[in-house]
Amino acid sequence: MVLNYIWIAFFLLAAVCAIIQCFTGNSGVFADIVGSTFDNAKTAFEISIGLTGVLSLWMGVMKIGEKGGMVNLLSKMLSPVFTRLFPDIPKGHPATGHIFMNIAANMLGLDNAATPLGLKAMESMQELNPKKDTATNPMIMFLVLNTSGLTIIPVSIMVYRAQLGAAQPTDIFVPILLATFAATLAGIIITSIYQRINLFHPVLLVTLGGLCALVAGIIWGFSRMDKETMDIVSTLSANIILFGIILSFIVAGMLKKVNVYEAFIEGAKDGFTTAVRVIPYLVAILVAIGVFRASGGMDILISGINWLVELCGGNTDFVSALPTALMKPLSGSGARGMMVDTMTTYGADSFAGRLACIFQGSTDTTFYILAVYFGSVGIRHTRHAVTCGLLADLAGVLAAIAVAYFFFG
C-alpha cells in the first residue's frame, strides 16, 4: 500500500514540476519525460536479465549452506546472546529456535528462508502474548533486529554494481558491514533502554563489547593506510571472505553428506525465478523515478537538501545518494530503484553511487517488516516498535555517511 502511494506521488509531482517548467520556458520537458519512460524501462529489463546468472549462482551456494547446517550453526552461536535479549520468552520455548533461525538466515542473506521463519517466530511469540492485539517486548526486539538489517553477505547489491559497470563490485562489502553493524547495535541499545534489559550482563557485555572492539580495530587498521592501499585491502578482504564462505558452505555440505550439486541446482532455480520476478517491480519503480527526474523534481529535491546542508556548513557530497536512504524505511524495491538510479546517473564508482549502495545495505524496510510481521498475528498496537526501528535506521544512515567518507571520500 505504501509503495502504491509513493508510485502515484512520483507521477503527480512530476506533472506539477513539468507544468511549472513549461511556464518558465522549457517546452521540451514532456518529450524528456516520455523518452525517460522508455529508456528506464529498457534499463530495468537489462539489469534484471543481467541479474539472472549471478543471482542463480549465489542462491545455489546459499542453498548448499542451508542444507549443510550453516544456518543451524549460526543459530547456536547466537544463542547465549539472544536468550538475554529476549528474557520474557521461557527457556526452551519453540519461539527461541524460530528467532535464532530467522536472524541467522537474514545474516546469510537467505531472504526466502528468513521470512517464513520470521512469521513462524511471530506466531510462537503470539502464543505467549496476554494481550493479542498489542506487541510484546520480545516481538518488538525481534522486529528491530530485522529492520536494522544485519547482513553478512549483501549479494544483490554487489550484483547490481557489477551489472552497472563497477570496477570492483565488492568494494562496498566492508563499508556495508560497518554501517549495518552500527544500525543493529543502535537498535539493540535503544530497544534495551525502552525494555529495561540489562546490557551489562557479562555475556552481553563481552559479546557486544568484543564486536565493538573488532569494528574499532578494522577502522583503526584502515585509518593507517593511504587511499590506494585501503581500496586494495578492502576489496581483497571482501573477495577472500566471500570465497571463504562459498568454500565453507561446500565443505559443510560434504560433511553432512548433502548432494551439493543437486542442492546448488535447487537454489539456482530459485535464483532464476527471483530474477525474473524482479522485472516488473524494477520497471515500475525505475520508470516512476525516471519521470520524476526528467521533470526536474529530483533536481529540486536535491537542490533543496543541498541548500540546507550548505546553510549548516556541511559537506554536500552525500546529498545525491540521500533519496535511497529516505526511501529505504518505506519500500525495499523503491530504495533499490533509487540506488540503481543513483548509480546510473552518477556512475557506479562515484561517491554518490557507492554511498547509495551502503545506504541500501545498512538497514531494512522498517514499515514493510512491521506491516507483514505484526499483521500476520493481528497486532494493532505497536508500542515503541516504530520509534526504535526508525532510530536504528537513522543510526545506520549516519554510519553509512561516515563510513563512505572514510573509505571513498
Side-chain angles (χ1 to χ4, degrees):
M1 184 61 71
V2 172
L3 189 55
N4 176 52
Y5 293 133
I6 292 170
W7 201 70
I8 293 170
F10 272 129
F11 281 94
L12 294 179
L13 289 171
V16 172
C17 292
I19 291 169
I20 292 172
Q21 286 215 51
C22 275
F23 279 110
T24 58
N26 184 9
S27 58
V29 64
F30 284 105
D32 293 338
I33 289 174
V34 172
S36 175
T37 61
F38 291 105
D39 291 341
N40 281 282
K42 180 182 177 183
T43 299
F45 180 77
E46 290 173 348
I47 291 171
S48 299
I49 292 300
L51 279 172
T52 306
V54 182
L55 201 54
S56 295
L57 165 66
W58 275 104
M59 293 292 281
V61 170
M62 291 302 178
K63 181 61 72 173
I64 294 172
E66 187 181 347
K67 291 194 171 185
M70 293 301 289
V71 176
N72 286 326
L73 177 62
L74 191 53
S75 297
K76 291 177 182 177
M77 291 170 61
L78 293 171
S79 178
V81 177
F82 277 41
T83 51
R84 271 77 185 183
L85 292 178
F86 298 90
D88 294 340
I89 297 178
K91 191 173 183 179
H93 192 276
T96 305
H98 297 143
I99 290 170
F100 294 158
M101 293 289 283
N102 168 262
I103 299 300
N106 270 325
M107 290 175 69
L108 293 174
L110 299 170
D111 294 336
N112 290 341
T115 300
L117 289 168
L119 294 175
K120 189 65 179 176
M122 290 299 291
E123 289 175 9
S124 299
M125 285 185 280
Q126 183 71 334
E127 294 173 4
L128 302 169
N129 188 0
K131 296 179 68 176
K132 299 301 183 183
D133 64 343
T134 303
T136 61
N137 283 350
M139 286 179 175
I140 294 172
M141 178 63 81
F142 176 68
L143 263 294
V144 171
L145 287 173
N146 269 269
T147 61
S148 62
L150 182 61
T151 303
I152 296 175
I153 314 171
V155 177
S156 61
I157 297 173
M158 292 187 289
V159 172
Y160 281 116
R161 285 185 54 73
Q163 285 301 309
L164 292 169
Q168 293 290 346
T170 58
D171 61 6
I172 43 80
F173 180 85
V174 173
I176 285 178
L177 277 182
L178 296 175
T180 191
F181 171 76
T184 302
L185 182 63
I188 290 173
I189 293 172
I190 293 164
T191 309
S192 296
I193 291 172
Y194 267 96
Q195 299 180 0
R196 295 191 173 93
I197 293 172
N198 180 21
L199 288 174
F200 294 100
H201 187 284
V203 173
L204 288 178
L205 201 60
V206 169
T207 304
L208 297 179
L211 289 173
C212 289
L214 176 62
V215 171
I218 292 172
I219 294 174
W220 177 82
F222 278 110
S223 69
R224 298 176 64 84
M225 304 174 190
D226 57 48
K227 181 72 169 58
E228 184 177 346
T229 305
M230 189 187 298
D231 288 343
I232 293 171
V233 172
S234 175
T235 303
L236 180 62
S237 301
N239 290 331
I240 290 173
I241 291 170
L242 290 171
F243 182 69
I245 289 170
I246 294 172
L247 199 59
S248 65
F249 282 12
I250 293 173
V251 171
M254 291 170 58
L255 293 176
K256 283 275 188 179
K257 300 190 183 324
V258 172
N259 186 327
V260 292
Y261 178 77
E262 291 297 329
F264 177 88
I265 295 300
E266 183 183 344
K269 288 178 180 177
D270 291 337
F272 180 83
T273 303
T274 301
V276 173
R277 193 167 58 239
V278 163
I279 293 175
Y281 297 99
L282 198 56
V283 169
I285 199 66
L286 280 187
V287 167
I289 294 169
V291 166
F292 185 59
R293 183 179 289 282
S295 71
M298 187 70 78
D299 292 335
I300 294 171
L301 175 64
I302 298 299
S303 297
I305 298 174
N306 250 320
W307 178 78
L308 287 173
V309 173
E310 286 177 349
L311 196 64
C312 298
N315 184 293
T316 60
D317 291 347
F318 73 93
V319 174
S320 298
L322 210 51
T324 303
L326 298 175
M327 182 67 73
K328 193 62 193 280
L330 302 170
S331 165
S333 58
R336 182 170 59 243
M338 287 292 190
M339 176 189 72
V340 171
D341 179 71
T342 302
M343 284 195 285
T344 303
T345 302
Y346 300 99
D349 288 328
S350 65
F351 180 82
R354 283 167 165 154
L355 177 55
C357 293
I358 301 172
F359 281 146
Q360 178 73 357
S362 62
T363 59
D364 214 326
T365 50
T366 299
F367 288 105
Y368 173 80
I369 291 173
L370 287 168
V372 171
Y373 281 5
F374 280 160
S376 68
V377 292
I379 296 294
R380 293 189 294 112
H381 303 294
T382 60
R383 299 172 62 214
H384 50 277
V386 175
T387 302
C388 292
L390 290 179
L391 287 174
D393 288 345
L394 178 61
V397 168
L398 295 176
I401 294 171
V403 167
Y405 276 113
F406 181 78
F407 278 88
F408 309 118

